[in-house]
Amino acid sequence: MRIRIVDAFTDRPFTGNPAGVLLLDHDTLPEDSRLQSIALEVNHAETAFAHRLPEGGDADWALRWFTPVAEVAMCGHATLATAHVLRTTGAHTGPVRFATLSGVLIATPHEDGSLTLDFPTAPLTPVEVPDGVAGALGAEPLTTFDTGPNTGDLLIEVADEKTVRGLTPDHRALARYSKRGIIATARAEDPSQGYDFVSRCFFPNIGIDEDPVTGSAHTALAPYWSERLGRPGLTGLQASPRSGLVRTELRGDRTLLTGHAVTVIEGELLA
């Protein structure tokens, strides 16, 4: 099997969020335990496994995502990376429909090289600030929302962009407050820099202390900030050390996520 490492939500190598991508032969699909072992070996936030589906159905390719320790129900950057590989290798042309644990997700390519993902909008439910979360995160929450079953995060707004950038959370302590992790966010200090809000994402429960750029988190960030800023179309900067930009457009119960991707490594899986 060919294996590729793709940096997603960036147009420059060694930035954005790296994902492993493997296109599988439908006739010899590996056992789940082997997929998990491959994901552990790749050791990125997610490794995506895709195989072609029969023509005439609701989707073109089946797609699954594994962190080094678990399968996840939704992953934006690995979906973007997979769509990039399908396009650049010629395995699929035009929009591609993925059958996933989160339903059918569509990726649409554009002439400038970017791709747009059509994902379900996260349902935001206000919740009381859990006792101890401020100490674990290292900042006082202004508002706290549950992001629903697809992601299972707590979305927490903090005072400002400087606070988001300066967070040094206790990852082990954060693990007790949500199914997947914590999304910390704030309004951009200077929108003229090309982004409207900032975020950082901490997912210790699935083996990822800090995710570089999280597409799925933006299905919650988009409705949150669109309501506050009064615009359906926004750009988010995930202010991790690698960093990356996600353009969002809120369309009711769907959220569009747009970004670029770059293949940085291609090789053969021998084991």
Side-chain angles (χ1 to χ4, degrees), residues 197 218 222 226 232-236 246-250 255-258:
F197 60 87
H218 285 75
S226 288
L234 300 170
T235 298
V246 183
R247 300 201 307 273
T248 67
E249 184 175 341
L250 185 63
T255 295
L256 304 184
L257 311 171
T258 299

Side-chain angles (χ1 to χ4, degrees), residues 152-165:
D153 299 324
L154 278 184
L155 173 64
I156 296 176
E157 183 183 356
V158 297
D160 51 30
E161 180 176 334
K162 181 179 179 181
T163 300
V164 172
R165 291 181 179 273

Side-chain angles (χ1 to χ4, degrees), residues 8 44 56 61 72 114 155 201 209 226 231:
H44 284 312
W61 290 74
V72 296
S114 66
L155 173 64
C201 295
D209 283 347
S226 288
R231 289 182 284 124

Side-chain angles (χ1 to χ4, degrees), residues 71-115:
E71 185 173 11
V72 296
M74 179 185 287
C75 180
H77 85 277
T79 305
L80 188 77
T82 304
H84 169 79
V85 168
L86 293 177
R87 180 178 64 177
T88 55
T89 62
H92 190 94
T93 59
V96 55
R97 301 168 299 167
F98 294 113
T100 78
L101 290 177
S102 295
V104 175
L105 307 177
I106 301 173
T108 302
H110 305 292
E111 291 185 1
D112 67 353
S114 66
L115 292 142

Side-chain angles (χ1 to χ4, degrees), residues 3-251:
I3 183 168
R4 297 166 176 87
I5 305 299
V6 177
D7 291 343
F9 291 113
T10 182
D11 58 3
R12 295 179 293 116
F14 315 123
T15 59
N17 200 351
V21 178
L22 290 94
L23 304 184
L24 307 176
D25 184 345
H26 180 272
D27 294 329
T28 55
L29 292 178
E31 298 290 333
D32 286 6
S33 59
R34 178 162 165 76
L35 300 182
Q36 187 63 74
S37 294
I38 294 169
L40 177 59
E41 187 76 8
V42 173
N43 201 33
H44 284 312
E46 267 87 12
T47 298
F49 300 92
H51 66 84
R52 194 187 304 273
L53 295 173
E55 294 183 4
D58 293 334
D60 306 303
W61 290 74
L63 178 61
R64 299 173 70 182
W65 313 280
F66 287 77
T67 78
V69 300
E71 185 173 11
V72 296
M74 179 185 287
C75 180
H77 85 277
T79 305
L80 188 77
T82 304
H84 169 79
V85 168
L86 293 177
R87 180 178 64 177
T88 55
T89 62
H92 190 94
T93 59
V96 55
R97 301 168 299 167
F98 294 113
T100 78
L101 290 177
S102 295
V104 175
L105 307 177
I106 301 173
T108 302
H110 305 292
E111 291 185 1
D112 67 353
S114 66
L115 292 142
T116 295
L117 308 179
D118 182 337
F119 270 41
T121 299
L124 300 181
T125 304
V127 296
E128 294 292 328
V129 178
D131 291 339
V133 74
L137 183 62
E140 193 66 36
L142 300 180
T143 57
T144 306
F145 288 80
D146 180 89
T147 65
N150 283 336
T151 55
D153 299 324
L154 278 184
L155 173 64
I156 296 176
E157 183 183 356
V158 297
D160 51 30
E161 180 176 334
K162 181 179 179 181
T163 300
V164 172
R165 291 181 179 273
L167 291 173
T168 55
D170 180 337
H171 298 289
R172 182 173 297 180
L174 278 184
R176 68 175 66 106
Y177 295 109
S178 66
K179 178 182 176 182
R180 184 173 74 163
I182 303 294
I183 306 167
T185 188
R187 185 177 300 198
E189 181 178 335
D190 180 8
S192 70
Q193 295 298 309
Y195 55 91
D196 302 290
F197 60 87
V198 296
S199 66
R200 289 174 67 191
C201 295
F202 309 104
F203 302 138
N205 285 335
I206 56 172
I208 304 166
D209 283 347
E210 180 168 5
D211 197 35
V213 191
T214 314
S216 60
H218 285 75
T219 66
L221 290 161
Y224 185 80
W225 286 112
S226 288
E227 179 180 347
R228 280 151 184 77
L229 300 178
R231 289 182 284 124
L234 300 170
T235 298
L237 170 71
Q238 195 151 328
S240 68
R242 288 177 64 102
S243 188
L245 291 171
V246 183
R247 300 201 307 273
T248 67
E249 184 175 341
L250 185 63
R251 293 189 177 180

